[in-house]
Amino acid sequence: MMTQEPFPLIGNYKTIPGVYDELYDAEGQIRNKYKFLVKSFQELGPAELLNRRRDTDRILRENGVTYNLYQSDSPEAKERPWDLDLFPLVMESEEWRILERGLNQRADLLDALVRDVYSKRRLLHEKKIPPEILFNETSFLRACDGMYDSNHFLTKNPALLFFVCDIIRAADGNFYVLNDRVQAPSGSGYSLENRIVLSRIFPSMYRDAMVHRVAVYFRSLRKSLTQLAGVSGREPVIVLLTPGPSNETYFEHAYLAGYLGYTLVQGEDLTVRKNKVYMKTVEGLQQIDLILRRVDDDFMDPLELRGDSLLGVPGLLESVRSGHVKIANPIGTGFLENRALLPFYSDLCRFYLGEDLILPMAPTYWMGTLHHFQLVLQNPEKYVFKTVSRTDEEKPVTFIELSGARKDSFLQKLKSSPNRFIAQEMIASATVPVLGENGFRPGRAIMRTFVSSSGSGYQTMAGGLVRVSPSLDDFFITSQRGAWSKDLWVLATETQKEESLLVPKSDQVLISRKSAGVPSRVADNLFWLARYLERSENQTRVIREATYKILQVEDGYERESLENSLKLVTHVTNSYPGFIGDDAGELFLNPFPELQRLTTNRQIVGSLAFHLKSLVTASKSVRDRLSEDMKKILLHLEDQSIHEIESYDQIIDYLQKIIVNLSSLTGLSFENMSREAGWYFLNLGRRIERSINMILMLQGMIRWDKFRDKSSFETFLRINDIRLTYNRRYSGKIDQESVLDILLFDTTNPRSFAYQLEQINSDIKFLPGKDEKVVYSEDRAALQLYTHFKMKDISIFFASENPLESVSIWLEELHTFLKQLSEALSGRYFNYTEEQTRIGDGNG
C-alpha cells in the first residue's frame, strides 16, 4: 500500500537574501517557535487546510467582518470582506517582553509630550523641536491650549488612555517603529476577531500552543474607562462615538461597542446643554460621562474646530474644559500623529523621561530642516517620502518608482514646500509565511500593537494585528491597499488561565431589567427597518403570486386573473404606468422583463430590490442592536440582492429564498429580542406597514373594479397566507363578504387589519417617557385609528347599496389615521428638536 507524500508546505518557500525571515533562521532552519505549527499544518494536509480556509472565509462573512474602501468606483465594491491568513505570526515571551517594555515607555513619552504641548511647551523653550512643527501644523489645536492644566480629570489621570504603534522587524532582527496612531486608532477589534476565528478553526492547535489571551487587554481597557469616567455610586454612562456606517472600520466600532457593553452613537445622537453632554434618547436626555471616540480631532466640535463637520457635537470642547465629560483619547492628541515629530523622539525621550528610547524609530528626517533636506537629497532613492500630516492628500512615494516628469514635479514640491514632507528610510520589513494553494509563500509584514492605560501604568495587548502585503515589492502595507491580516500569537511559558470580560466577584453588579437609553436615531432606524422588511415581504408575495399565474394560465378566465395580479405588482411597487398604463398590452404579452426589472434592479425606487437594499442599509445603522443570527440573515439578503435572473422559474426560486429569510428575520425579532424600548418601535413599524400594505392592495383592486370574482379573492388569500384556513372555515365556498371579513376584521388572522390594530393599541402603551396623566400625540392618533376601525363591521358595509365603495372610502380614512400615527411617533421620538436661543436684544 502506497503512503501519501507529505504535503509540501514549505518546499516552495524561498527566503530573500538580506531580509529577516520569521520562519527560517540564518542557517536555513525552521525556528523552534514555529516547529509545532508547521508540523500540525503538515499533518492536516492540503485538502483539510482548504476546508478550513473556506470555513474561515465563511465565518468572517457570516460575522459581517468587513473593511470599507473609500477609493471605490461603485457602491457595491465599497465594502470589502476581511482577509485572514490561517498561519499566525509567532513570538516567544522573551522577544515580546522587549517590545512590551518599549511600547510602555513610548506610552509614557507620548503622554508627557502631549501634556507639555498644550501647557508649558518646554520642548520649545529647550529647543527640542523647531517651532514650525508645532505652530504651522493644523493638528495642533489652539482651542485645546491650557486644557491639560485647567481640567481636573486630565491633571490627575493619564491623558493618553490608549494608542497603537506600527512596527516592523528589520534585517538585523530588531524592531523599528514606523508611526503611531493616537486620536482614533483602529485595529483592536479586528485583532480580537482574528483570534476568535483562528481559535475556532484550530481549537486544539491554539490550546496546545499555549498562547497568551487577548481578552485581558479589553478587560483592562474597560476597567480604565470606568475609572476615568470619575463616577461614584452608579454605573458611568459611556458611549462609543462613530462617524457612521460609511466609515472604513465601522464593523469594528459596532463590534467593540457590543463587546464592551457601550452604546454606539453618532454625532447627531449627542447634544450639549449647559456645558453637559447628553444622548438624545427616546426616554429623554441622558447625560454622558465618557466618550470613547472613533472620530478624528478636527471633526469633534464644529463650533470651535472644523465648522463643516457633521460628525461631532457643537459645544463639546467647552464641556470638556468644564470637566463635565471625558473623552478618550482627549481632543488634541492628534498632534502626536504629526510625522515631523518622528526624527526627534530619541531626544524627547531623554528630555521627558531621562531614558534612551527602547524601540528605535526607522531613520526619519524632516525636510523642513536644511541639514536633513540636504542629507536626504544626496541619496533620495533610499527613502520613502510622506507628508507630515495624515490628512494631506499627497500619497507616499519613493524615488525608485518616479521617473522623468513625475520625478521633476515631485522634486519641485519638495523644494517649494519642504515643511510638508518627511523622508523615512526604506527598511526591508521581515518576510512571513502566507498560506496559499501550493503551500507557504513569503509576504512582507507590519505589526500593529495595542497599548492601554491600567491602574499601574500602561498595559500592552499580548498579541496584535499583522498586515501582510501580497507583493514583496510593496513597501506600503495598509488595509486600504489590499493587505491581508494575520493573528499575532505570543507564546506563554506556562499554561494560561482563561480570561474573559466577566466582572470579578469582588465587584458588585446591580441587577437591572432596564437597558441603557435608546438613541432617537436608533429607534428611527429600527422603526424603518421593520417597515422595509414588511414592504419587501409584501412585494415578494405579490410578485411571486403573479409569476405563479403566468406559469399556470390556461384560458381566458385565468388570463383576466393574471392581468389583475400584474396590475397589483405595479401598484405595490409604485412603478406606474407599468401594467396599469394605457399601453400595457405589450407588457401583458411579455411580462418577464418588467418582473425581472422590479425584482432585481436596485436603482428603481419602489422595486423589491430597492427596498431590500433600504432594509440592509437601515440594519447597518443599528448593527450593534441585532443578534448574530439576525446579522447572518441580513447578510444572506444582501448577497441575494445581487442576483441574475433569466427565467420565471429563477424568479420563483429567488423570491422563495427572500421570503424564507424575511420570515426568519421577523421570527427572530419577535421571539428572541427582549421587550425593551427598541423592540416596541420595531414592532410598531411592522404593524403600521402591514396595515398600510393591506389598505393599498385592497384599494387598488377595488379601484380597478376587479375585486368581484373568485380568482381575485383567492389571490388575496394566498398573498396573505390565509387560504388554507379560509377553505377549512367555509368548506371551499368563497365570496366578497367572507374574504373581506377574514382580511380586515378577523383577529385570529395574524395578517388581518384588526390584528395589526390590536398590536398597535397594545404596544403604544409601552413606549418610554409616558406619564399616566398625559395624553400624548401618538396615544391620541392610535386611539382615533382604533376607534374609527371599531365603529365598523363587515355586516354594516354589506348592508349598504355599494359595499365596495364604502369600504374603499373607509380604508382611505384609516390610511390617513395611520399616517398621522407614524408622524406622531416620528415627531415625539425620532425628530429630536433642539432648544432654540435667539441671539441679540430682540429688536432686530
Side-chain angles (χ1 to χ4, degrees):
M1 180 175 178
M2 295 182 61
T3 58
Q4 184 180 8
E5 287 290 326
F7 176 37
L9 186 69
I10 57 178
N12 298 322
Y13 189 84
K14 304 296 181 184
T15 60
I16 303 174
V19 174
Y20 186 93
D21 186 77
E22 291 286 348
L23 183 61
Y24 284 103
D25 60 22
E27 285 72 39
Q29 301 298 314
I30 295 177
R31 300 182 190 275
N32 288 332
K33 60 184 179 182
Y34 281 108
K35 288 181 178 178
F36 168 73
L37 284 179
V38 171
K39 181 175 182 292
S40 299
F41 272 60
Q42 289 269 24
E43 291 173 349
L44 287 173
E48 182 57 29
L49 285 174
L50 179 61
N51 287 335
R52 301 203 186 193
R53 166 81 263 174
R54 290 169 178 163
D55 287 343
T56 300
D57 292 340
R58 176 182 54 78
I59 293 170
L60 290 170
R61 184 66 178 151
E62 287 179 349
N63 290 352
V65 188
T66 59
Y67 186 91
N68 299 343
L69 299 179
Y70 287 134
Q71 311 291 330
S72 178
D73 296 330
S74 65
E76 289 77 12
K78 190 173 184 180
E79 201 170 71
R80 180 169 64 84
W82 187 250
D83 289 316
L84 171 62
D85 184 57
L86 297 186
F87 196 78
L89 180 66
V90 176
M91 279 197 189
E92 294 175 321
S93 291
E94 284 301 317
E95 57 183 338
W96 179 252
R97 289 193 187 100
I98 298 173
L99 268 179
E100 192 172 35
R101 288 197 301 270
L103 289 168
N104 291 343
Q105 180 201 56
R106 195 169 188 85
D108 290 329
L109 170 59
L110 293 175
D111 185 82
L113 174 58
V114 75
R115 287 179 181 279
D116 187 31
V117 162
Y118 288 106
S119 55
K120 298 178 180 178
R121 287 187 278 280
R122 292 170 51 220
L123 77 170
L124 292 185
H125 298 304
E126 300 292 334
K127 299 182 179 179
K128 296 302 177 183
I129 66 169
E132 306 94 290
I133 292 179
L134 186 68
F135 296 120
N136 289 351
E137 173 55 35
T138 58
S139 61
F140 172 68
L141 303 181
R142 288 165 174 77
C144 295
D145 192 39
M147 188 181 296
Y148 293 78
D149 290 330
S150 62
N151 188 297
H152 176 74
F153 162 71
L154 293 176
T155 57
K156 298 298 183 180
N157 295 285
L160 194 68
L161 188 68
F162 49 78
F163 85 105
V164 305
C165 187
D166 290 334
I167 297 172
I168 61 171
R169 198 199 288 261
D172 58 7
N174 293 321
F175 298 107
Y176 290 86
V177 174
L178 291 181
N179 52 56
D180 307 294
R181 293 287 181 268
V182 179
Q183 51 183 332
S186 64
S188 60
Y190 289 105
S191 179
L192 176 61
E193 181 68 15
N194 284 353
R195 177 61 59 87
I196 290 173
V197 171
L198 279 194
S199 61
R200 180 175 167 183
I201 293 297
F202 301 118
S204 58
M205 195 184 305
Y206 174 73
R207 182 185 62 251
D208 296 342
M210 295 173 59
V211 182
H212 274 286
R213 311 300 190 226
V214 298
V216 66
Y217 168 85
F218 295 95
R219 190 176 67 185
S220 175
L221 175 63
R222 190 171 67 176
K223 185 176 181 179
S224 295
L225 289 168
T226 300
Q227 292 173 343
L228 295 173
V231 175
S232 59
R234 63 173 176 83
E235 281 293 313
V237 179
I238 301 175
V239 297
L240 193 154
L241 178 62
T242 173
S246 61
N247 184 261
E248 57 188 352
T249 56
Y250 178 72
F251 155 78
E252 181 180 62
H253 305 167
Y255 183 59
L256 285 179
Y259 191 74
L260 296 171
Y262 302 149
T263 301
L264 186 68
V265 299
Q266 297 179 28
E268 64 187 277
D269 298 326
L270 305 179
T271 185
V272 175
R273 306 282 179 88
K274 297 180 180 180
N275 286 344
K276 296 180 180 179
V277 180
Y278 294 90
M279 178 167 55
K280 297 178 284 189
T281 77
V282 293
E283 293 90 350
L285 293 177
Q286 182 178 22
Q287 187 176 348
I288 302 301
D289 300 307
L290 188 144
I291 299 173
L292 175 62
R293 68 181 174 110
R294 284 296 184 266
V295 175
D296 286 349
D297 280 349
D298 286 348
F299 298 91
M300 288 293 290
D301 186 347
L303 193 63
E304 297 193 54
L305 301 173
R306 183 165 172 167
D308 62 347
S309 171
L310 299 177
L311 306 179
V313 188
L316 182 60
L317 268 176
E318 188 57 33
S319 181
V320 173
R321 292 190 193 100
S322 63
H324 290 307
V325 72
K326 290 84 176 178
I327 298 181
N329 280 323
I331 301 172
T333 50
F335 176 72
L336 298 175
E337 296 179 0
N338 182 353
R339 295 185 179 113
L341 292 170
L342 298 180
F344 304 96
Y345 271 134
S346 293
D347 289 341
L348 290 172
C349 187
R350 287 188 287 269
F351 177 65
Y352 288 117
L353 305 181
E355 304 170 354
D356 289 329
L357 202 60
I358 296 174
L359 286 178
M361 295 296 309
T364 307
Y365 304 91
W366 180 50
M367 301 301 285
T369 301
L370 180 60
H371 172 65
H372 287 183
F373 185 87
Q374 293 173 340
L375 178 66
V376 168
L377 289 190
Q378 288 177 8
N379 192 3
E381 288 78 12
K382 290 173 52 181
Y383 304 96
V384 54
F385 293 87
K386 304 176 183 178
T387 55
V388 165
S389 173
R390 284 182 54 227
T391 60
D392 198 312
E393 294 183 358
E394 188 83 34
K395 294 181 179 180
V397 297
T398 63
F399 260 61
I400 297 174
E401 63 182 349
L402 297 179
S403 61
R406 289 184 63 207
K407 180 181 288 187
D408 294 338
S409 174
F410 185 72
L411 275 172
Q412 184 59 37
K413 288 180 184 178
L414 280 179
K415 293 175 181 178
S416 62
S417 305
N419 289 8
R420 281 182 61 203
F421 296 92
I422 63 161
Q424 196 166 62
E425 189 172 316
M426 289 190 294
I427 298 177
S429 59
T431 51
V432 297
V434 179
L435 185 63
E437 293 182 1
N438 300 315
F440 286 148
R441 60 182 176 85
R444 293 193 184 277
I446 180 173
M447 292 183 293
R448 172 157 287 192
T449 54
F450 305 92
V451 182
S452 73
S453 168
S454 66
S456 57
Y458 285 95
Q459 176 169 322
T460 302
M461 179 196 291
L465 177 65
V466 182
R467 288 168 292 173
V468 184
S469 170
S471 170
L472 291 174
D473 298 326
D474 198 347
F475 283 88
F476 308 120
I477 308 171
T478 67
S479 297
Q480 277 289 329
R481 295 170 67 97
W484 281 48
S485 71
K486 276 180 173 289
D487 192 14
L488 172 58
W489 288 8
V490 179
L491 304 182
T493 54
E494 57 185 22
T495 303
Q496 294 291 293
K497 65 178 182 179
E498 292 293 332
E499 298 285 358
S500 74
L501 287 184
L502 293 177
V503 177
K505 292 182 179 180
S506 57
D507 294 343
Q508 183 180 6
V509 176
L510 299 177
I511 300 299
S512 174
R513 292 184 179 138
K514 181 180 178 182
S515 65
V518 178
S520 301
R521 174 191 54 82
V522 170
D524 192 5
N525 277 286
L526 285 170
F527 180 77
W528 278 99
L529 184 152
R531 294 197 64 171
Y532 285 128
L533 190 156
E534 279 298 320
R535 202 172 294 180
S536 300
E537 183 179 348
N538 186 61
Q539 290 181 348
T540 303
R541 291 179 178 277
V542 170
I543 297 173
R544 184 180 65 171
E545 180 66 19
T547 309
Y548 277 141
K549 285 188 177 299
I550 292 171
L551 296 177
Q552 296 169 358
V553 65
E554 293 180 356
D555 50 38
Y557 170 76
E558 292 293 343
R559 171 62 61 179
E560 183 178 3
S561 174
L562 167 60
E563 292 182 359
N564 290 338
S565 296
L566 291 173
K567 288 179 180 180
L568 192 58
V569 170
T570 296
H571 186 59
V572 299
T573 57
N574 199 30
S575 55
Y576 293 95
F579 294 107
I580 301 177
D582 294 335
D583 56 349
E586 293 185 10
L587 286 180
F588 285 136
L589 293 175
N590 182 21
F592 179 79
E594 181 72 358
L595 291 179
Q596 181 190 49
R597 190 175 74 96
L598 295 176
T599 302
T600 62
N601 192 332
R602 289 186 284 179
Q603 306 307 313
I604 301 174
V605 177
S607 69
L608 171 60
F610 175 85
H611 286 123
L612 287 173
K613 179 184 176 183
S614 300
L615 166 64
V616 171
T617 300
S619 74
K620 289 181 179 179
S621 294
V622 293
R623 180 185 175 86
D624 58 312
R625 303 271 168 169
L626 305 178
S627 70
E628 294 302 316
D629 289 333
M630 292 179 75
K631 284 186 278 193
K632 288 175 183 177
I633 293 171
L634 285 160
L635 181 63
H636 292 159
L637 284 170
E638 188 174 12
D639 289 342
Q640 288 167 356
S641 66
I642 306 173
H643 200 83
E644 294 294 331
I645 290 177
E646 303 295 338
S647 68
Y648 289 119
D649 286 335
Q650 288 181 353
I651 288 181
I652 290 174
D653 182 62
Y654 171 72
L655 295 176
Q656 188 60 40
K657 291 177 181 177
I658 295 296
I659 286 178
V660 169
N661 281 314
L662 292 175
S663 299
S664 299
L665 203 58
T666 299
L668 286 170
S669 66
F670 194 78
E671 293 295 335
N672 294 4
M673 288 183 70
S674 58
R675 285 351 184 221
E676 297 173 346
W679 183 86
Y680 286 104
F681 289 106
L682 187 78
N683 202 40
L684 282 168
R686 175 189 300 126
R687 302 306 172 185
I688 289 173
E689 187 64 32
R690 187 172 286 186
S691 301
I692 291 174
N693 289 336
M694 178 69 75
I695 289 173
L696 292 177
M697 287 194 298
L698 283 172
Q699 281 185 321
M701 293 298 282
I702 292 173
R703 186 180 305 132
W704 307 321
D705 199 29
K706 299 298 180 184
F707 199 69
R708 297 180 180 278
D709 58 71
K710 179 176 181 291
S711 179
S712 296
F713 303 153
E714 289 178 337
T715 295
F716 262 79
L717 293 172
R718 278 195 294 268
I719 289 173
N720 287 278
D721 206 17
I722 198 70
R723 181 74 169 97
L724 292 177
T725 300
Y726 183 91
N727 283 346
R728 287 195 301 270
R729 187 174 296 177
Y730 296 103
S731 302
K733 300 175 184 178
I734 191 164
D735 67 357
Q736 280 182 351
E737 187 171 353
S738 58
V739 169
L740 285 173
D741 179 72
I742 201 169
L743 293 177
L744 292 174
F745 295 99
D746 187 353
T747 55
T748 66
N749 174 13
R751 303 189 73 88
S752 73
F753 196 90
Y755 187 89
Q756 311 318 310
L757 295 197
E758 293 287 350
Q759 293 295 309
I760 290 172
N761 202 44
S762 172
D763 290 348
I764 209 83
K765 302 171 185 175
F766 292 96
L767 294 182
K770 296 283 190 180
D771 184 337
E772 293 181 358
K773 300 177 181 179
V774 178
V775 178
Y776 297 94
S777 58
E778 69 275 11
D779 298 323
R780 190 175 297 108
L783 182 60
Q784 288 175 325
L785 171 65
Y786 190 73
T787 303
H788 195 73
F789 175 79
K790 284 295 186 178
M791 293 292 289
K792 298 291 184 180
D793 185 82
I794 193 64
S795 61
I796 296 176
F797 289 116
F798 278 84
S800 65
E801 185 176 342
N802 193 338
L804 291 185
E805 183 178 348
S806 300
V807 168
S808 183
I809 294 172
W810 178 67
L811 288 174
E812 186 57 40
E813 293 167 347
L814 292 173
H815 193 188
T816 299
F817 285 127
L818 280 165
K819 288 190 290 186
Q820 289 174 353
L821 173 59
S822 180
E823 290 167 0
L825 289 169
S826 177
R828 175 158 150 75
Y829 291 105
F830 309 152
N831 300 330
Y832 207 105
T833 305
E834 297 284 353
E835 294 177 356
Q836 302 297 314
T837 303
R838 186 184 179 96
I839 299 176
D841 58 7
N843 297 321

